[in-house]
Each structure stands twice: as C-alpha cells, then as structure tokens.
Amino acid sequence: MRRTKEDAEKTRQTVLEAALKLFSRDGYSLTTLSRIAKEAGCSRGPIYWHFENKDDLYEAVLAYSQEPLEALVAECGAMRETPIEAMDHFIERWLGLLANNRQYRQSFEILLNKTELTDAMSRTLKRERALTKSIIGLFRDLAGQAADKGLITTREDPKDLGLLSYTYLMGITQTWLFAPTLFSLKKEMPFFQRQFWALLGKK
C-alpha cells in the first residue's frame, strides 16, 4: 500500500511538472489535457485520478505561487511588533522565491502572462483576489505600526502604503517575468529593498 501511495504521488508530481511547463510556454487556452498527458508520459486516466478537470489542474499549478505567499502573510502577520523586520522579510522572501524557485516563478508567470482571465477562472480569481487583499492589508497594518513607533517618516495613510507596497512588488515581478534579460533580479534585490524603504522614509 505504501508503495502504491508513493507511486501515485510521483505520478501527480509528474503531471504537475508537465502542466507547469506547457501552461507557462503555451498558455492556458492552447494547453490541453492530452498534451499534458503526452508531456508527462502517461494517458489521461492518471490525470483524472488526481484532478477533476483542466481547471482543477490549473488551480493546482497556481498553488505553487499562491501557497508560499499565503504562508508568508501569516508568518509576517505574527511579526507585527517588529514591523520593519516583518516587511523586510516579506520583500526578501517574495523576490527570493521569484529568483530562485522555478516552480514558483513559472506559476506566477502563468497567472500574469499566460492566462485569459475569464469567468471560467472564477475559483482561481477569487483566491488570487483574496490573497491580494491580504497582502495589501498586511502592509497597511505593518506600515501603520511602523509609523506609530516612529520608525518611518512618511505621513501617508497606511491604507495607501499597503497598496503602494503591493503594486511596487508586483511591478518588479511583472517587469522581470516579461523581460528577464532586462536585469538580474538576484543582483538587484538589495537595490529594490533600499528603494522601498526610501519610499516609506525609514529612519
């Protein structure tokens, strides 16, 4: 029984890897379950054993980027008493995952650049929008805490600072995924972190 479970998980991971590759290369619409099965070296049967349909598989692929960020929001939310360290950790972790984790990077790219966001994506969009709101809310609360403690000099509304933080990180992400040869994300990470704190007026 143990071997059967291990084999099943191995097959699931093989299918996910094939889906990541094809979704990121060809986009959602052009990627069929038949093509994923061929890439994975199996029939469509094992795919249906693990996933209800193409949309279900697509959601599992996007979880590679969503789940680490959801965990990161919770982790940094528990660091509210040290808001500067919490925000710095979030930024470093977000950019580090993007630069160093292929599955995370491909998942992000699929969502941003390779998918037509239609009503068929309602479950995925609902989760992504909830994640967006949670990140904005996290930075709103942390920036407010930092301002109250006199750690940053900006007089902007924390609500606006939460939005600024999210759009700043998404702008870097979208630019680099669209044109990865434009700059080295690994090399520029310290620069992006310094400029973030310049925006907030860190003391």
Side-chain angles (χ1 to χ4, degrees):
M1 179 64 71
R2 182 183 174 191
R3 182 180 177 83
T4 300
K5 288 182 179 180
E6 289 176 351
D7 288 346
E9 180 58 25
K10 183 178 179 180
T11 299
R12 183 178 185 276
Q13 289 302 316
T14 301
V15 170
L16 281 170
E17 283 290 330
L20 266 170
K21 178 179 179 180
L22 295 182
F23 282 140
S24 64
R25 187 186 71 192
D26 302 329
Y28 175 84
S29 296
L30 294 179
T31 300
T32 65
L33 289 181
S34 294
R35 292 182 64 196
I36 292 171
K38 182 178 180 181
E39 181 68 29
C42 65
S43 67
R44 289 199 298 177
I47 297 179
Y48 284 118
W49 176 262
H50 294 285
F51 305 99
E52 183 178 340
N53 49 39
K54 184 172 130 177
D55 289 347
D56 190 36
L57 176 54
Y58 174 78
E59 288 182 20
V61 164
L62 290 191
Y64 278 113
S65 61
Q66 292 170 328
E67 289 177 357
L69 288 182
E70 288 166 346
L72 189 57
V73 168
E75 180 184 357
C76 293
M79 300 169 62
R80 293 178 190 274
E81 293 306 309
T82 54
I84 298 296
E85 288 81 355
M87 287 187 279
D88 217 30
H89 177 65
F90 192 100
I91 295 168
E92 184 176 354
R93 180 68 174 152
W94 173 310
L95 297 179
L97 280 167
L98 197 62
N100 300 311
N101 187 307
R102 176 185 56 80
Q103 293 173 329
Y104 177 89
R105 182 168 59 250
Q106 283 183 306
S107 177
F108 229 132
E109 185 175 27
I110 290 165
L111 177 67
L112 294 179
N113 298 329
K114 298 291 185 175
T115 303
E116 303 83 11
L117 299 179
T118 65
D119 289 341
M121 305 295 176
S122 59
R123 286 191 304 179
T124 295
L125 289 175
K126 183 177 180 180
R127 182 176 182 179
E128 193 63 31
R129 285 167 180 157
L131 177 57
T132 296
K133 289 180 180 178
S134 70
I135 295 172
I136 293 172
L138 172 70
F139 274 88
R140 175 199 63 212
D141 294 346
L142 292 175
Q145 186 87 332
D148 289 343
K149 290 176 177 287
L151 302 173
I152 56 177
T153 60
T154 180
R155 295 180 180 274
E156 299 291 348
D157 189 321
K159 182 178 179 181
D160 293 330
L161 294 177
L163 181 60
L164 173 67
S165 302
Y166 178 77
T167 54
Y168 180 78
L169 288 170
M170 282 298 291
I172 295 168
T173 300
Q174 179 73 288
T175 301
W176 187 66
L177 288 176
F178 184 73
T181 60
L182 192 62
F183 60 92
S184 167
L185 183 57
K186 288 183 181 180
K187 290 182 179 179
E188 298 297 340
M189 279 173 57
F191 166 75
F192 288 131
Q193 285 183 274
R194 289 196 306 272
Q195 293 308 305
F196 174 81
W197 291 120
L199 289 172
L200 269 64
K202 178 184 173 184
K203 291 184 177 180

